Amino acid sequence: MTNPGAAVVGLNRWLPWAAMGAVIVADRVTGEDYGLMPVFAVGPALAAAAGPRRRVVHVAVVALVLCAATATFNGRIDSIRFSVAVVCVVVLTVAAWFVASARLRAEDELTSVRAVADAVQQVLLGAVPARTSNGALAVSYVSAIESAHIGGDLYEAMPLPAGGLRIIVADVQGKGLPAVRTTSVVLAAFRESAPYVGALDEVGRRIERSLNWRTDGDRFVTAVLAEIADDGSVDILNYGHPAPLVRRSNGLLELAEPGSPGPPLGLGALTDAGPGRRRITLDVGDRVLFHTDGLTEARDPSGTFYPVLERAGEPLSDPDAQRALDRLREDVARFTEGPLDDDSAFLLFQYLPADGPVPPARSGSTRVS
């Protein structure tokens, strides 16, 4: 995928030279009476946008040489106009030096922020098991925040001691550090309870209690909890979250929507309604895509939502589960024709109860610029 940021940096590197070349052409076209020599100062000014500080000096030296050459060619090397041009270049060079210094400090700070975000992501959203007793897993995470790799979406998969698997995919209200804190609360509660609690409903209740105890009480989380047994039966609890997408081995797609909607986690005290419920049965080779609303709410330039049932089936048909998610990412990017404006988490489960090759475990976390 093309990186627009790299293209911008490349353009910035050539822009000072192109600008000074344009001044030379304009000076030749307009003649010496217009006195365009001070405009050569645009070179070092633009050089501050990219590269090290010494690049500003290099461009400034070239600008002064061009001023002198132009003045000599026009027979004005001793004129006040040449002196003014030299002063303009020097003054703007000093200013550009300080601008480049501030930019480099900001870039260093941004690099540190990204390093911290990567570390937080590795702690919170680690690798899921690539192979379980009943299938294969792949995950993919993209943050819409340009300066970080983590946002408010989360996923986890916990194998059960007696066989089977429990999964959570959720979307935390809000952005930034408060969302990251809530993410940690939800993941801790799920990891602590999912392998040991008897009923899936109780896992949801424990997450709800953790949200009430360990957050400010104003946070809520949309989520899907699922328990996948070794016989292919899947129990799904939906807490106001987009329904999982089921791709059957014959290519048919369906949404595992609950019979009635359930409230998000964190809002249970406001209603007597429980989570939405759905039970499905998987055959060998069937896949279930658990996802956040970064998929269903992705829009093209005209504002049309990504048509999941019409477009997701083809990329999800790839035999390799991780590659299927990568292809789905690419298809969404083609549809939106631009960067994401929301976080997006995918977890793909393929029902393969028989023993088979074990793919390497990986977090599948990606970054789209």
Side-chain angles (χ1 to χ4, degrees):
M1 186 180 295
T2 303
N3 186 346
V8 171
V9 171
L11 178 62
N12 286 337
R13 293 188 183 280
W14 286 103
L15 198 55
W17 311 110
M20 291 190 295
V23 173
I24 295 173
V25 173
D27 184 77
R28 296 296 89 209
V29 171
T30 59
E32 61 184 64
D33 292 336
Y34 284 87
L36 296 180
M37 286 185 294
V39 186
F40 281 115
V42 72
L46 292 174
R53 288 184 293 265
R54 65 177 179 272
R55 182 167 178 265
V56 174
V57 177
H58 293 163
V59 175
V61 170
V62 173
L64 290 173
V65 170
L66 291 175
C67 282
T70 301
T72 301
F73 184 84
N74 292 335
R76 295 179 178 271
I77 194 66
D78 297 327
S79 68
I80 188 66
R81 187 174 295 172
F82 172 66
S83 300
V84 170
V86 171
V87 171
C88 287
V89 172
V90 171
V91 170
L92 279 179
T93 298
V94 173
W97 173 278
F98 285 106
V99 170
S101 298
R103 174 182 56 80
L104 290 170
R105 284 194 298 271
E107 289 177 353
D108 289 342
E109 291 175 1
L110 180 59
T111 299
S112 298
V113 168
R114 286 176 171 168
V116 171
D118 286 339
V120 171
Q121 178 172 338
Q122 293 302 315
V123 172
L124 291 182
L125 302 179
V128 300
R131 191 69 166 85
T132 66
S133 64
N134 55 3
L137 288 167
V139 293
S140 175
Y141 183 94
V142 171
S143 173
I145 302 175
E146 185 66 21
S147 60
H149 293 189
I150 189 166
D153 290 5
L154 62 96
Y155 59 80
E156 184 58 284
M158 302 292 294
L160 303 179
L165 181 72
R166 281 177 175 169
I167 287 171
I168 183 173
V169 172
D171 186 355
V172 173
Q173 170 214 8
K175 302 289 183 183
L177 291 178
V180 173
R181 173 175 171 77
T182 305
T183 296
S184 69
V185 170
V186 173
L187 285 172
F190 178 79
R191 288 165 177 163
E192 181 181 9
S193 60
Y196 311 112
V197 172
L200 190 61
D201 300 67
E202 180 59 23
V203 177
R205 285 191 288 270
R206 293 197 180 191
I207 295 174
E208 180 98 26
R209 287 197 294 268
S210 293
L211 286 171
N212 293 333
W213 291 341
R214 302 183 59 189
T215 66
D216 55 17
D218 295 327
R219 296 275 161 185
F220 65 86
V221 180
T222 68
V224 163
L225 295 178
E227 181 172 336
I228 306 174
D230 286 346
D231 63 3
S233 61
V234 183
D235 289 319
I236 300 172
L237 301 183
N238 194 309
Y239 297 85
H241 197 78
L245 177 67
V246 181
R247 186 190 183 277
R248 300 295 182 179
S249 58
N250 60 7
L252 294 178
L253 295 180
E254 60 185 79
L255 291 174
E257 295 180 317
S260 59
L265 293 165
L267 299 182
L270 304 179
T271 176
D272 293 331
R277 297 176 181 273
R278 179 68 186 271
R279 183 179 178 88
I280 61 175
T281 301
L282 300 178
D283 294 323
V284 175
D286 289 350
R287 287 177 167 178
V288 184
L289 176 67
F290 300 90
H291 59 88
T292 57
D293 60 9
L295 175 66
T296 54
E297 295 185 1
R299 305 188 190 199
D300 67 9
S302 68
T304 302
F305 289 109
Y306 181 77
V308 176
L309 290 175
E310 288 75 20
R311 295 188 60 136
E314 196 281 326
L316 291 179
S317 66
D318 194 291
D320 182 85
Q322 191 64 55
R323 193 164 59 238
L325 292 185
D326 294 340
R327 289 180 58 190
L328 181 59
R329 290 276 181 213
E330 293 169 358
D331 188 62
V332 174
R334 282 192 297 270
F335 180 81
T336 59
E337 300 180 16
L340 295 172
D341 57 7
D342 195 7
D343 304 326
S344 178
F346 298 162
L347 188 151
L348 183 64
F349 173 83
Q350 182 169 13
Y351 181 54
L352 297 170
D355 293 337
V358 179
R362 47 182 161 174
S363 65
S365 193
T366 57
R367 183 75 161 60
V368 172
S369 300

